[in-house]
């Protein structure tokens, strides 16, 4: 069960280490709708498991890897078949690595979730499983510098995902090979800029100038790189920012919207509900501490 739950916000109870919690979960119970500031990684060991995000159920099997980015509303459903199940669950403070260049953009690219199955991504899944299994061994061992080694393994875990996710030849197959990595760098810089300035009035012209492309060429390449348009990416970042404000009881919905870069309350309400499947008022109410 979730030990510390205020409304729908879980405060992760890190036990052995300051910013990492790992355990073998064999409980038959489901976990209610909640979110937490920690990154969550789930890998079934026995039987399948189900994660529900944005009212869509995702069921995955043994040794598949499911990644839930911080701040994502989700609930978990244990298998109902005989024999129960077992899964490795890890929660960690991704703030430990998000200041490394490119990692913040990588984490955002995983929203609202990432599922790396043995069937669809066999090589990537195999490599990531090896890191998780090594982390599990270290976590349950009693050797010096365990926490430091786990951090280094987490960095390698996400670098592996990043290299697969931002493969230059796949992102820009029609660009000359000697230019592909340059394009990756340009668009990662653009994403970092949006991440840092999402509450400001960012225009496509500004981003195109930053990347050194015409507006039309930039818009096409950005969607090719990120899978979404500039506008959609910017709105995702603003929604993530406004969520951090809505959980604060002394900040009104209007103030949270304005401080997150939304110029219109009506458009904010519409965009937020489309993204989170609840209104800002409902979200704020869900996050109120239960007495």
């Amino acid at each position: 069960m979730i030990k510390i739950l205020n409304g729908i916000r879980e405060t992760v109870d890190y036990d052995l280490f300051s910013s990492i919690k790992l355990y073998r979960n064999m409980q038959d119970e489901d976990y209610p709708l909640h979110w937490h500031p920690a990154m969550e990684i789930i890998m079934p060991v026995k039987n399948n498991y189900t994660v529900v995000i944005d009212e869509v159920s995702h069921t995955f099997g043994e040794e598949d890897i499911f990644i839930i980015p911080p701040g994502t509303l989700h609930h978990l459903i244990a298998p109902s078949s005989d024999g129960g199940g077992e899964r490795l669950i890890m929660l960690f403070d991704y703030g430990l690595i998000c200041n490394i260049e490119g990692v913040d953009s990588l984490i955002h690219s995983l929203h609202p979730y990432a599922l790396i199955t043995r069937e669809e991504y066999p090589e990537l899944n195999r490599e990531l499983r090896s890191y998780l299994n090594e982390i599990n061994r270290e976590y349950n061992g009693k050797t010096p510098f365990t926490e430091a080694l786990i951090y280094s393994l987490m960095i390698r875990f996400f670098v592996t995902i990043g290299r697969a996710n931002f493969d230059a030849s796949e992102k820009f197959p029609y660009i000359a090979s000697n230019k592909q990595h340059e394009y990756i760098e340009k668009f990662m810089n653009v994403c970092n800029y949006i991440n840092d300035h999402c509450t400001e009035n960012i225009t496509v012209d500004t981003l195109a100038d930053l990347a050194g492309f015409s507006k039309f060429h930039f818009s096409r390449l950005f969607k090719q790189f990120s899978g979404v348009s500039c506008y959609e990416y910017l709105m995702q970042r603003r929604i993530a920012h406004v969520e951090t404000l809505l959980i604060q009881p002394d900040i009104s919905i209007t103030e949270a919207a304005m401080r997150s870069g939304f110029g219109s309350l009506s458009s904010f309400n519409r965009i937020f509900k489309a993204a989170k499947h609840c209104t800002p008022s409902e979200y704020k109410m869900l996050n109120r501490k239960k007495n």
Side-chain angles (χ1 to χ4, degrees), residues 76-91:
L76 309 175
I77 301 175
S80 57
S81 59
D82 292 339
E86 180 181 350
R87 71 283 320 174
L88 186 70
I89 296 181
M90 182 168 68
L91 297 124

Side-chain angles (χ1 to χ4, degrees), residues 236-248:
Q236 289 172 1
R237 295 305 295 163
R238 285 181 176 172
I239 289 295
H241 185 269
V242 81
E243 286 180 274
T244 66
L245 300 179
L246 288 174
I247 66 173
Q248 300 180 36

Side-chain angles (χ1 to χ4, degrees), residues 16-240:
L16 295 180
F17 302 109
S18 60
S19 303
I20 300 169
K21 183 179 181 67
L22 186 146
Y23 59 101
R24 294 262 179 166
N25 177 283
M26 293 178 282
Q27 295 177 325
D28 294 333
E29 67 176 317
D30 299 337
Y31 290 81
L33 184 69
H34 68 286
W35 68 272
H36 37 66
M39 173 79 72
E40 184 168 7
I41 300 173
I42 303 172
M43 184 178 73
V45 176
K46 178 184 177 183
N47 215 332
N48 56 27
Y49 204 54
T50 299
V51 178
V52 182
I53 295 176
D54 294 337
E55 300 180 352
V56 178
S57 296
H58 307 276
T59 300
F60 46 102
E62 294 176 7
E63 296 189 322
D64 293 340
I65 297 169
F66 199 96
I67 303 173
I68 305 171
T72 301
L73 277 171
H74 62 286
H75 63 92
L76 309 175
I77 301 175
S80 57
S81 59
D82 292 339
E86 180 181 350
R87 71 283 320 174
L88 186 70
I89 296 181
M90 182 168 68
L91 297 124
F92 76 101
D93 179 3
Y94 93 107
L96 296 167
I97 62 173
C98 71
N99 290 325
I100 299 173
E101 184 177 357
V103 172
D104 191 46
S105 294
L106 167 61
I107 297 300
H108 184 72
S109 74
L110 301 177
H111 280 273
Y113 69 92
L115 175 57
I116 304 162
T117 67
R118 296 180 65 188
E119 181 178 357
E120 191 172 2
Y121 307 101
E123 294 299 324
L124 178 59
N125 176 275
R126 184 180 300 112
E127 188 168 357
L128 296 180
R129 274 192 286 124
S130 71
Y131 293 136
L132 292 179
N133 288 329
E134 189 171 352
I135 289 170
N136 184 44
R137 286 192 296 271
E138 283 292 327
Y139 189 90
N140 293 294
K142 298 184 182 297
T143 54
F145 306 107
T146 292
E147 191 167 7
L149 181 55
I150 290 175
Y151 292 160
S152 70
L153 289 168
M154 289 309 307
I155 292 172
R156 293 184 68 182
F157 181 91
F158 284 106
V159 165
T160 300
I161 293 175
R163 287 181 171 173
N165 198 31
F166 296 115
D167 187 305
S169 62
E170 291 186 6
K171 293 291 184 181
F172 303 111
Y174 305 112
I175 304 299
S177 58
N178 64 330
K179 287 285 188 180
Q180 289 174 342
H181 289 289
E182 178 186 333
Y183 276 38
I184 290 288
E185 291 293 328
K186 284 178 181 287
F187 283 94
M188 286 190 72
N189 287 338
V190 168
C191 288
N192 289 335
Y193 180 87
I194 296 174
N195 297 344
D196 293 339
H197 300 272
C198 66
T199 62
E200 303 170 16
N201 183 27
I202 300 177
T203 66
V204 176
D205 296 283
T206 299
L207 299 175
D209 288 343
L210 180 65
F213 296 109
S214 69
K215 181 178 177 180
F216 173 79
H217 195 45
F218 169 80
S219 296
R220 181 175 61 82
L221 289 173
F222 185 91
K223 188 164 188 178
Q224 199 170 315
F225 173 78
S226 68
V228 295
S229 69
C230 279
Y231 175 80
E232 290 170 318
Y233 188 92
L234 176 59
M235 290 304 107
Q236 289 172 1
R237 295 305 295 163
R238 285 181 176 172
I239 289 295

